[in-house]
Amino acid sequence: MSRADRLEALVDEEGLAAIVVTNLANVRYLTGYTGTSGACVVGAGVRVFVTDFRYVAQAECEVDPGFDRLQGRQDLLEDAAKRVPAGRVGFEDHHLTVRAHQRLSGFVADGTELVPAGRLVERLRAVKDADELARIREAARLADEALNGIVDRGLVGRAEREVALGLEADMRSLGSEPSFPSIVAGAANGALPHARPGDRTIGEGELVVLDFGCVVDGYCSDCTRTLATGRLPDDAAAVYDLVLDTQVATLDRVRPGAECRAVDAFARERIEAAGHGERFGHGLGHGVGLEVHELPTLSKAGEGELEPGNVVTVEPGVYVPDRFGVRIEDLVVVTERGAEVISTAPKELRTVS
Ligand code: ZN
Ligand code: ZN
């Protein structure tokens, strides 16, 4: 069954006649199209792809021939709406803006009712096939290789921004590109989980959080390592041990049938027991694929259970305000029997001066 066929079955299960897909990652997943302007409609016997004139030639090459390919004029939604069947038609309410939804409502025929459809395509995307896994593996491998460049060049005396640039230059010379703006955050900056690398010079005896990933054929990787730049204060070394122990123990919990919420809770309880519960403010992990953050979600709000083919991160962290942060993140494939960690960079505390 093609991806569009599987979506059609899901659409039918939800009591919908069709779905209008506007999230470009979903459009790519269903049709193969990699451009930046496109939408598609999938329903019983309906396979329509629309783009504007700039991407017609590209769509000719890329879009699955099972789809009717249309050149839209100004508003893709208008052209997509014309091919929507009567009845209840889903839209991607997590993606479509309120304004776009209003436009779409104006374009559909009178007998059509637009219904929020949630993340139907994202649910399909959460389970990867062998080709997708191969790309994610390759993206993880290239990111690991780029990290080696940092270790070789050293950290002390360099600005965070310079280190991030070097990392991303290495990714590009390896034939890849960053899957998101790399984080290089030393000392107190490391206590900000989403720090942006700045002009601060990395000193000796601090912890540096590096969070980075590559893209291969649209598929992302995501990895975090925390390196030391010399002898650490005892409490920083202790937090590193805590995060590492928690991360390794939690990897064992990743297996088919495990509840997403329970995997998060397992890590959280360990960190809470060590007195750092308040300092682990984000979810344990997230799915990775065409987007860096996708389903399934390993957090307090995570829904459902893990299944074979899921690719998730396991990334506990402890952030001590104004001092330092530690996060260790691996990319993990859920297999039939358990899990396979595809990040290979060492996790024992490494000193890079
Ligand atoms: Zn990350
Ligand atoms: Zn992540």
Side-chain angles (χ1 to χ4, degrees):
M1 263 221 282
S2 76
R3 291 168 176 177
D5 292 345
R6 284 188 290 135
L7 177 60
E8 182 184 321
L10 214 48
V11 161
D12 185 56
E13 233 171 72
E14 299 285 318
L16 301 171
I19 182 171
V20 180
V21 179
T22 48
N23 176 358
L24 281 168
N26 288 343
V27 174
R28 175 174 189 161
Y29 180 76
L30 294 166
T31 69
Y33 171 74
T34 64
T36 54
S37 165
C40 63
V41 182
V42 173
V46 182
R47 301 282 186 278
V48 179
F49 169 84
V50 195
T51 186
D52 71 56
F53 76 99
R54 294 170 298 166
Y55 292 97
V56 169
Q58 185 177 344
E60 282 297 313
C61 309
E62 290 180 345
V63 172
D64 177 340
F67 280 79
D68 291 346
R69 283 163 276 187
L70 302 184
Q71 178 178 337
R73 279 148 310 166
Q74 283 174 339
D75 196 320
L76 297 185
L77 288 175
E78 183 174 2
D79 295 275
K82 282 188 189 141
R83 299 294 295 268
V84 159
R88 300 173 78 234
V89 171
F91 68 94
E92 300 189 296
D93 50 302
H94 56 287
H95 178 261
L96 208 62
T97 63
V98 172
R99 184 192 287 258
H101 173 256
Q102 279 171 349
R103 281 208 324 275
L104 185 60
S105 306
F107 294 138
V108 295
D110 284 347
T112 300
E113 181 198 354
L114 288 176
V115 184
R119 299 171 194 269
L120 289 192
V121 186
E122 283 85 348
R123 268 158 57 190
L124 293 177
R125 278 172 45 199
V127 176
K128 274 74 180 172
D129 65 26
D131 287 345
E132 294 179 290
L133 289 177
R135 289 167 177 153
I136 295 170
R137 262 179 234 282
E138 178 66 359
R141 191 186 70 76
L142 293 173
D144 286 344
E145 210 173 315
L147 179 65
N148 290 335
I150 286 198
V151 173
D152 292 346
R153 286 188 293 270
L155 290 169
V156 176
R158 295 178 190 278
E160 292 170 356
R161 192 200 303 274
E162 179 192 344
V163 174
L165 270 172
L167 181 68
E168 296 187 353
D170 281 358
M171 291 177 183
R172 289 180 202 281
S173 55
L174 289 166
S176 185
E177 60 185 321
S179 52
F180 57 91
S182 309
I183 293 173
V184 176
N189 287 349
L192 311 168
H194 287 281
R196 295 186 56 179
D199 292 326
R200 182 183 166 279
T201 301
I202 296 169
E204 259 181 58
E206 60 184 61
L207 283 167
V208 182
V209 178
L210 301 132
D211 191 349
F212 54 94
C214 283
V215 189
V216 170
D217 290 339
Y219 284 84
C220 302
S221 71
D222 187 5
C223 176
T224 305
R225 290 294 182 265
T226 301
L227 302 176
T229 58
R231 206 188 136 76
L232 296 175
D234 289 348
D235 63 338
V239 165
Y240 190 91
D241 288 345
L242 169 67
V243 174
L244 179 57
D245 282 353
T246 302
Q247 204 266 351
V248 170
T250 309
L251 287 173
D252 269 348
R253 300 283 154 152
V254 176
R255 60 173 84 112
E259 271 183 56
C260 293
R261 218 168 286 176
V263 181
D264 174 86
F266 176 82
R268 208 161 291 285
E269 277 157 23
R270 289 177 86 102
I271 288 176
E272 269 162 19
H276 290 293
E278 308 260 289
R279 292 165 167 172
F280 174 24
H282 56 75
L284 175 71
H286 52 87
V288 177
L290 286 169
E291 292 176 293
V292 186
H293 293 97
E294 55 181 57
L295 296 177
T297 303
L298 301 180
S299 75
K300 287 178 190 165
E303 286 174 10
E305 296 175 352
L306 292 172
E307 54 184 315
N310 288 156
V311 176
V312 292
T313 67
V314 172
E315 51 177 308
V318 169
Y319 309 92
V320 180
D322 305 320
R323 299 229 14 241
F324 61 83
V326 176
R327 180 167 65 257
I328 301 172
E329 174 180 31
D330 278 336
L331 201 51
V332 186
V333 178
V334 180
T335 61
E336 292 294 332
R337 295 207 187 135
E340 180 198 349
V341 177
I342 59 174
S343 309
T344 59
K347 290 188 283 195
E348 307 75 48
L349 183 59
R350 274 202 289 180
T351 302
V352 175
S353 47

